[in-house]
Amino acid sequence: PLLSHMFVFFYSVLADVTPPVALAAYAAAGVAGSDPFKTGFRAFSLSLAKTFVPFAFVYAPIVLLMPWLLDPNVEFEFLWFIQCAVTLFIGVSALGATVIGYIGGGTLNIFERILMGVAALLLIIPGTTTDIMGAIIFAGILVKQILKNRAVKNKGAMDVSPGMNDSPKSGS
């Protein structure tokens, strides 16, 4: 019963940013002077990553610091808790990057977004094998984006190097 209550409680908190209620989003639209529907839709798309967290409560109750909820004989394992918590955090971040389409200083193409979504699901599902596969995909895309962003910055710095605009203009 406690797991189901936490599941429902988490989704009730999401009601503030998800339509049709979206009270927080509509209040933010009023403060910002923006269109309430567009703001509500943006809030929903940004909070989409949070919709998978309650499933982690059910499949890995150790995240709630109560592993004995499903099986009273299970003891608390600190390393399993750390693994579940860290991979859940990275998985939600990956899902956010999938929805937004941006990570590591650069935009993701459609193939990278699909891979990032797969990595997110693998990281959110508790299990060592899925965590390793998801972490490899996530790390690969993140490193690729960071290196691509650095290359673009270095190329931009080379194009605007000092002394290039110091030459006198002819015909003046």
Side-chain angles (χ1 to χ4, degrees):
L2 184 59
L3 284 175
S4 59
H5 283 86
M6 287 301 294
F7 193 89
V8 171
F9 173 71
F10 199 88
Y11 273 110
S12 69
V13 172
L14 284 177
D16 284 342
V17 292
T18 56
V21 178
L23 233 112
Y26 294 144
V31 170
S34 65
D35 179 30
F37 183 75
K38 288 182 181 177
T39 305
F41 184 74
R42 177 60 75 181
F44 171 70
S45 67
L46 293 175
S47 68
L48 189 62
K50 290 189 260 182
T51 60
F52 289 97
V53 173
F55 292 100
F57 295 163
V58 173
Y59 290 113
I62 196 160
V63 175
L64 297 173
L65 299 174
M66 297 183 229
W68 54 85
L69 290 175
L70 293 178
D71 183 5
N73 299 325
V74 173
E75 301 228 356
F76 184 81
E77 295 179 28
F78 186 72
L79 291 177
W80 177 240
F81 166 74
I82 294 294
Q83 178 182 341
C84 286
V86 168
T87 57
L88 181 60
F89 176 77
I90 295 170
V92 169
S93 300
L95 194 55
T98 303
V99 172
I100 295 169
Y102 184 88
I103 193 168
T107 57
L108 298 170
N109 62 36
I110 189 70
F111 180 69
E112 292 168 335
R113 284 176 93 161
I114 291 170
L115 278 178
M116 190 62 79
V118 170
L121 291 176
L122 288 171
L123 286 164
I124 290 172
I125 297 169
T128 304
T129 306
T130 58
D131 290 346
I132 292 170
M133 292 186 316
I136 289 171
I137 295 170
F138 178 79
I141 295 172
L142 181 63
V143 167
K144 179 185 176 285
Q145 290 296 335
I146 291 172
L147 293 176
K148 184 171 78 172
N149 187 35
R150 283 187 186 168
V152 168
K153 282 185 179 180
N154 288 341
K155 185 178 184 306
M158 297 293 278
D159 290 344
V160 188
S161 61
M164 287 187 70
N165 296 328
D166 294 340
S167 61
K169 295 182 179 181
S170 59
S172 15

